Amino acid sequence: MSKTITIDGKSIPFEDGQTIMEAATAAGVYIPHLCHHPDFTPHGSCKLCNVKVNGRVCSACTFPAMEGQDVMNNTKDLHDDRQKITQMLFVEGNHLCPGCEKSGNCRLQAVAYYLNMLDNHFPHFYAKREIDASHPDVMIDHNRCIFCTLCVRASQQKDGKDVFAISGRGINKHLIVNAQSGLLKDTDLEVADEAAHICPTGAILIKRTGYHVPIGERIYDHKQIDQVSLETEHPEHGE
């Protein structure tokens, strides 16, 4: 017999070694997230996937599924916490959605819609962040970075490189590249690398491609992020 956990009163099967996130996704249960990607080591940095496991708050992307767990995912308290986290992500950077070329394809924007985030709530930081357009094919707009580390993990675990890293702590945290000059053009990043395409926001962009798909015809213009996530992150997707 399969082992099971309970998520919001629903019995969910799991296999040994699966996280709560993996078990939930396989069963068609969406848990909001930004830093999680099934191809890379879980990181637990965004905290959007926080759930209550037997009364204890845990990151669903890192916490292993175990027999006897009673998981709460869809509650008002968790929804409110996720909404506040998303609001903080917006005010800590400079996310001007109508003018960002990732609009409609941006997971941060899509999560905000999913959580019914109607305002920023907190005062804007108006952080002073630079744009690195030195690379011939890829640019970094640091205004959009949410420090999810997906580009870091993709570069290390998929591309076999070590192009990106996160430096500093708290308000001084920032994305850096592996070059003495600090410029993307002096790294070994190539436009075909997974790290150049994995960013959930508009922080890492491929040049000369921004509006090939018009706004209004992009993925989250037609589907909510829960539907897209379950379609693309299910273990059997594409098999």
Side-chain angles (χ1 to χ4, degrees):
M1 294 179 62
S2 298
K3 297 180 180 180
T4 61
I5 60 176
T6 299
I7 300 181
D8 295 329
K10 179 181 178 180
S11 181
I12 303 294
F14 73 92
E15 299 176 1
D16 287 338
Q18 280 189 317
T19 62
I20 293 173
M21 175 75 77
E22 290 169 334
T25 302
V29 176
Y30 174 66
I31 300 175
H33 57 275
L34 285 169
C35 72
H36 171 71
H37 192 287
D39 291 343
F40 306 118
T41 302
H43 194 257
S45 58
C46 76
K47 301 306 179 188
L48 273 182
C49 74
N50 276 0
V51 293
K52 286 188 177 180
V53 183
N54 297 339
R56 173 187 174 190
V57 176
C58 306
S59 297
C61 70
T62 60
F63 204 76
M66 293 180 283
E67 191 79 51
Q69 288 175 335
D70 183 15
V71 180
M72 303 302 294
N73 169 50
N74 190 16
T75 71
K76 184 181 185 305
D77 286 348
L78 288 169
H79 173 85
D80 290 347
D81 288 345
R82 290 165 178 165
Q83 192 178 81
K84 290 294 187 293
I85 289 169
T86 306
Q87 288 169 323
M88 286 189 284
L89 288 173
F90 270 89
V91 303
E92 287 173 358
N94 300 309
H95 299 277
L96 305 176
C97 294
C100 178
E101 66 181 67
K102 195 71 177 280
S103 184
N105 286 330
C106 173
R107 274 176 272 166
L108 176 63
Q109 182 189 57
V111 162
Y113 280 125
Y114 178 83
L115 295 172
N116 196 33
M117 193 193 101
L118 301 178
D119 59 52
N120 291 325
H121 184 74
F122 301 103
H124 260 288
F125 282 31
Y126 295 111
K128 185 177 180 180
R129 296 184 179 174
E130 303 296 329
I131 295 175
D132 180 355
S134 62
H135 193 282
D137 300 308
V138 184
M139 65 173 286
I140 302 176
D141 186 343
H142 289 278
N143 289 289
R144 319 294 194 230
C145 183
I146 59 171
F147 313 114
C148 67
T149 76
L150 278 171
C151 62
V152 179
R153 286 174 281 160
S155 185
Q156 294 172 347
Q157 299 172 25
K158 181 70 177 292
D159 303 329
K161 301 178 181 180
D162 197 16
V163 173
F164 298 103
I166 303 295
S167 178
R169 296 175 64 85
I171 197 171
N172 296 313
K173 186 187 300 183
H174 58 288
L175 180 69
I176 60 173
V177 300
N178 190 8
Q180 188 171 1
S181 67
L183 296 174
L184 195 61
K185 71 179 179 68
D186 294 323
T187 70
D188 57 355
L189 181 75
E190 298 177 68
V191 69
D193 289 350
E194 183 72 12
H197 297 267
I198 197 69
C199 182
T201 70
I204 300 177
L205 297 168
I206 308 301
K207 293 182 177 180
R208 300 175 294 278
T209 64
Y211 294 97
H212 284 182
V213 178
I215 291 176
E217 299 179 15
R218 300 180 178 190
I219 186 167
Y220 300 118
D221 293 329
H222 299 279
K223 296 180 179 181
Q224 284 213 45
I225 193 168
D226 56 335
Q227 181 183 356
V228 175
S229 177
L230 293 174
E231 288 176 353
T232 59
E233 296 178 9
H234 191 287
E236 296 179 358
H237 177 74
E239 292 184 3

